[in-house]
Amino acid sequence: MGSMATTLELIDLRSFSNLWFWIALAVVWSSASHWVLGVPFDLVLRAHRRGGSVEEDLRDLIRINVNRMLYIADAAGEIAVGVMSFLLTVLAILGFFYWVEFAQALLLIGLPLTIVWILSVRTARKIALAPQTTAELYLRLRRLRFVIQVIGMLSVLTTSFWGMYVNASVGVLGG
């Protein structure tokens, strides 16, 4: 019977007291900072060091992903903004008016990721509008990655503090 209780604790939907939520949060921000404009950042570093065919591959991959992002933004941008605004608003209302912890957790992940998406589309537009030298391209990708990492750190910090507050409140209030 003890293993059944442990199993049920692992799949508990109370987000901030659930280990799986924190693992998912770490994976989300690790992935977001690794895949800049859909390009793995280790490829950016390798292309910067080696040049040649690796650099050509990087340029091709960036071109493909920039065109893909801009196509999606141009073709469905208004719809995507409307849907995301609706979803984030619903999560905010459910989370902070009705105090649904799962909605709070999703909002604390979704809102910063929306900002990252907007910054990525903006960077893709800048790359598409003007031809980039290799040095400019590396600089633009490094800056975007740095901003994504800062947003991720602030998001994890905010989520951690909010999670501690929620867990302390649940502990005081008794569930």
Side-chain angles (χ1 to χ4, degrees), residues 3 25 33 49 51 60 76 98 100 112 116 119 125 127 139 154 167 172:
S3 66
L25 183 68
S33 68
R49 274 181 285 170
D60 289 341
Y98 291 105
V100 176
V116 166
L119 291 173
R125 280 215 194 282
I127 290 171
L139 181 63
L154 292 173
N167 287 334
V172 170

Side-chain angles (χ1 to χ4, degrees), residues 20-38:
W20 293 109
F21 169 75
W22 296 105
I23 291 171
L25 183 68
V27 168
V28 162
W29 286 111
S30 175
S31 297
S33 68
H34 180 68
W35 293 89
V36 179
L37 293 182

Side-chain angles (χ1 to χ4, degrees), residues 75-150:
E78 293 86 5
I79 294 170
V81 168
V83 169
M84 286 308 298
S85 297
F86 173 76
L87 290 175
L88 292 173
T89 302
V90 166
L91 289 174
I93 291 169
L94 285 173
F96 296 100
F97 186 74
Y98 291 105
W99 209 252
V100 176
E101 188 176 323
F102 189 67
Q104 292 172 358
L106 288 178
L107 182 69
L108 289 170
I109 293 173
L111 185 61
L113 282 177
T114 303
I115 296 168
V116 166
W117 172 254
I118 291 167
L119 291 173
S120 296
V121 170
R122 191 174 133 208
T123 301
R125 280 215 194 282
K126 288 179 181 177
I127 290 171
L129 288 176
Q132 308 283 309
T133 66
T134 304
E136 291 170 339
L137 199 53
Y138 290 140
L139 181 63
R140 203 170 287 283
L141 291 173
R142 277 197 311 268
R143 283 181 182 164
L144 179 59
R145 182 175 194 234
F146 178 75
V147 171
I148 291 171
Q149 287 175 326
V150 168

